Amino acid sequence: MMMGGSDDEKNGSAFVQSFGRHLVALCVTFREKVSLDPLPSFRAFAYTLLHIDGRNFLLTAGRILSELHEALKSEKVEILSAVLQDNFGAERICDLPIPFDLKSAEMFFIDDAEEGLDFGVIALRPYYVNLLAANKMAALAEENWVRQRVVQFDLHLMLGLPAEYTSDHVSATMFAVKCLNEPPDGRPTTRYPRFVGELDPNLALASVRGMSGGPILGFNLTPPIRYWVVSLQSTWLRDRRLVFGCPLPVLASLMIGKSRDRFCEVENKGNRYGWARRATSCDQDSRDSQSSR
């Protein structure tokens, strides 16, 4: 959480770690072949762990996965390495990242402003599922979203990886966002509902760039205090300090059944919809899933 003094920073770090077990950073090192700069570039993307139809996924904003997929296909970009950083949780036992085979990963993404959908997933092989579980990571399952419509939320917090705090070191941050019940004036309505939140004007963060793909958590403060991941942060309006998210119940309902299809068909409506190529090593259930980092 955004804090001030050293004691606040320590307490804030512990608070963030309480929920960091749902957050994974996909860290990619790459080189632009046409660039005059010989040094490689580094990006960290926020992902939320999700479990649907017996499979585990890395969930993020659709536009992020669409851009990443284009980079993988591009002859102008060379992906040098990719790792999963899963050390944001309080109960972690290892701080070393997991080398990740990004080039053969099975992906699905939607980025459709008219529909109000902006999410994408990377399917995880059992090999990665076991390594993440060993480090006490927790995937969101159906009980997290199935009854959200009857919950009264008293507080909402955003969790993610702001770009201004990321260089070669990735830090998670958490801060409050005010949920708006009505869409803001001047914004088009969408077929599917979206989470809309307003940032505190005094927030000590110049931009929420890099937060996309991170979870937005809703809290019911009646004892015992409980929380749910209500939405996936996708985009924002800088001038109005508004953030938008794809509600977890919406995206989960759209994914159910699709995961069984292995994302092998494409419905192209002129928007950025895509099922990435199917990886030959995607579902190697016989592969030894026990490994050390």
Side-chain angles (χ1 to χ4, degrees):
M1 186 174 287
M2 304 295 293
M3 298 288 177
S6 58
D7 289 341
D8 285 343
E9 290 175 358
K10 182 183 297 184
N11 293 334
S13 177
F15 188 80
V16 170
Q17 290 180 20
S18 299
F19 309 100
R21 64 198 182 112
H22 305 303
L23 182 69
V24 176
L26 173 59
C27 303
V28 181
T29 302
F30 63 96
R31 178 181 291 111
E32 296 183 27
K33 297 180 181 179
V34 296
S35 175
L36 297 178
D37 188 351
L39 297 177
S41 299
F42 175 84
R43 291 281 302 276
F45 304 96
Y47 283 76
T48 302
L49 275 176
L50 182 68
H51 180 85
I52 287 182
D53 283 347
R55 303 183 72 191
N56 280 43
F57 300 88
L58 294 175
L59 171 68
T60 192
R63 58 186 179 81
I64 287 179
L65 205 50
S66 174
E67 293 169 3
L68 187 58
H69 185 231
E70 289 301 313
L72 285 167
K73 296 191 301 180
S74 175
E75 296 181 355
K76 298 179 180 180
V77 178
E78 179 185 7
I79 305 295
L80 301 177
S81 67
V83 298
L84 301 179
Q85 183 172 328
D86 62 342
N87 63 343
F88 303 112
E91 298 181 1
R92 66 187 184 278
I93 60 175
C94 180
D95 285 326
L96 295 177
I98 303 170
F100 186 66
D101 184 6
L102 182 61
K103 295 180 181 179
S104 69
E106 182 189 13
M107 305 175 184
F108 164 74
F109 53 85
I110 297 177
D111 182 11
D112 190 326
E114 292 183 0
E115 294 283 285
L117 299 174
D118 181 7
F119 71 92
V121 292
I122 298 177
L124 291 172
R125 298 200 301 263
Y127 173 77
Y128 299 112
V129 173
N130 280 274
L131 288 178
L132 291 168
N135 213 27
K136 309 302 181 183
M137 300 299 293
L140 304 173
E142 184 176 8
E143 59 266 21
N144 182 272
W145 64 78
V146 68
R147 293 181 57 81
Q148 282 192 19
R149 65 185 182 279
V150 300
V151 179
Q152 176 64 47
F153 294 108
D154 304 310
L155 173 70
H156 290 86
L157 298 177
M158 285 176 57
L159 174 64
L161 312 170
E164 65 187 76
Y165 292 167
T166 300
S167 53
D168 57 349
H169 177 73
V170 182
S171 297
T173 299
M174 200 171 196
F175 50 80
V177 58
K178 179 183 178 182
C179 180
L180 302 181
N181 294 323
E182 298 294 332
D185 294 337
R187 300 299 299 173
T189 57
T190 57
R191 177 184 176 187
Y192 292 96
R194 292 190 297 176
F195 175 92
V196 184
E198 184 177 32
L199 299 177
D200 187 334
N202 298 316
L203 179 66
L205 194 66
S207 168
V208 295
R209 179 175 173 268
M211 297 288 289
S212 294
I216 299 175
L217 299 94
F219 292 78
N220 181 287
L221 301 181
T222 302
I225 297 175
R226 294 166 294 168
Y227 76 92
W228 293 257
V229 173
V230 300
S231 184
L232 184 77
Q233 202 275 323
S234 60
T235 188
W236 79 305
L237 293 178
R238 178 191 292 267
D239 58 338
R240 299 177 65 177
R241 307 287 285 179
L242 296 177
V243 296
F244 298 85
C246 189
L248 193 65
V250 170
L251 67 87
S253 66
L254 292 172
M255 280 190 61
I256 291 175
K258 290 295 185 184
S259 64
R260 300 190 189 102
D261 298 336
R262 302 297 189 197
F263 310 143
C264 288
E265 299 179 2
V266 174
E267 179 184 6
N268 191 331
K269 299 181 179 179
N271 299 292
R272 286 193 289 179
Y273 280 57
W275 280 255
R277 65 189 182 283
R278 187 174 178 179
T280 57
S281 58
C282 175
D283 195 28
Q284 294 178 336
D285 291 330
S286 61
R287 178 173 176 170
D288 181 10
S289 61
Q290 300 298 322
S291 175
S292 58
R293 302 185 189 186

